[in-house]
Amino acid sequence: MIKPEDFLNFIKGRRTIRNFQDKIISNKEIEMILEAGRWTPSASNRQPWEFIIIKNKEILKNIAKTGIYGAPLRKAPMGIAIIGKKLENPNWYIQDTSLASMNMMLMAWTLNIGMCWIGSMDREYAKELLGLGKDDFLLTILATGYIKGNIPKPTLRKSLEEITRILK
Ligand SMILES: Cc1cc2nc3c(=O)[nH]c(=O)nc-3n(C[C@H](O)[C@H](O)[C@H](O)COP(=O)(O)O)c2cc1C
């Protein structure tokens, strides 16, 4: 088992990556990231998701253009779209897919693969490009690639005191 301190440091050390090398990610690594998504818990274990590996740079660039903070998608060699299938878990598909995105980001970090969770995009336009339907919820496209340059400095977090209450 992983040591608790090591795991906590691993979580703290992960950073959002917005600059990527122009290098293809191996199928083995892609598969490991997808497996981390597949093994995510979901409400009633419905697994209401689909993951789309986007290797088409034109698609990524076009989607990137539609969001103010979409630039990482333009720079990434690959994107992983996380889709919630609304009809498969109507009350929980957002939570289920959000958890899957975290598992995949953590898995990627073990492989020295950086990711940026992109929320900034015209979702209807992106859904059309990805061939999605009305019952598909496009949670995010994770801009994905090997890290270029230095790992960004740690981002700030609120203190535990600020965000915790203990009821006795
Ligand atoms: C729901 C969500 C939406 C986000 N959308 C974007 C985005 O559109 N563009 C971007 O560059 N980063 C985006 N991020 C990344 C956050 O800015 C980043 O996680 C945050 O600043 C903390 O940095 P860290 O991940 O390095 O700890 C998003 C993150 C989350 C969780």
Side-chain angles (χ1 to χ4, degrees):
M1 279 295 271
I2 310 173
K3 281 210 207 114
E5 309 82 49
D6 292 344
F7 187 60
L8 186 55
N9 284 331
F10 176 74
I11 288 174
K12 289 182 177 179
R14 181 210 55 83
R15 287 281 70 78
T16 287
I17 298 298
R18 297 187 172 88
N19 281 307
F20 304 97
Q21 297 175 36
D22 191 16
K23 194 173 147 193
I24 298 295
I25 294 173
S26 72
N27 287 339
K28 177 74 198 155
E29 289 171 316
I30 295 174
E31 194 183 315
M32 289 183 88
I33 293 168
L34 291 172
E35 279 290 83
R38 189 167 76 94
W39 278 94
T40 301
S42 59
S44 307
N45 199 20
R46 294 267 178 87
Q47 307 161 57
W49 42 55
E50 183 188 7
F51 309 125
I52 305 177
I53 302 295
I54 310 168
K55 292 183 175 178
N56 182 319
K57 294 272 292 177
E58 282 309 304
I59 291 182
L60 294 176
K61 279 182 191 162
N62 285 333
I63 296 174
K65 273 191 242 159
T66 68
I68 325 173
Y69 302 108
L73 268 189
R74 177 167 48 75
K75 301 184 197 163
M78 197 180 96
I80 304 179
I82 301 187
I83 319 302
K85 311 300 274 182
K86 293 183 187 177
L87 300 182
E88 293 180 19
N89 217 0
N91 294 326
W92 301 109
Y93 62 91
I94 298 177
Q95 290 85 343
D96 295 339
T97 48
S98 298
L99 291 175
S101 73
M102 190 72 245
N103 261 8
M104 290 163 102
M105 286 200 289
L106 289 174
M107 186 67 229
W109 197 251
T110 72
L111 299 163
N112 290 317
I113 290 171
M115 285 186 165
C116 182
W117 205 110
I118 297 292
S120 176
M121 71 177 97
D122 178 338
R123 281 195 166 64
E124 285 313 309
Y125 172 75
K127 278 178 65 175
E128 206 179 307
L129 287 191
L130 300 178
L132 298 172
K134 71 169 176 31
D135 298 321
D136 296 324
F137 170 72
L138 175 56
L139 176 82
T140 182
I141 301 177
L142 298 170
T144 302
Y146 294 112
I147 301 165
K148 183 174 177 182
N150 294 331
I151 291 169
K153 291 208 181 74
T155 43
L156 295 176
R157 291 296 188 268
K158 294 176 184 174
S159 69
L160 271 187
E161 290 72 26
E162 275 180 281
I163 59 169
T164 312
R165 268 196 312 144
I166 300 176
L167 286 181
K168 290 184 183 162

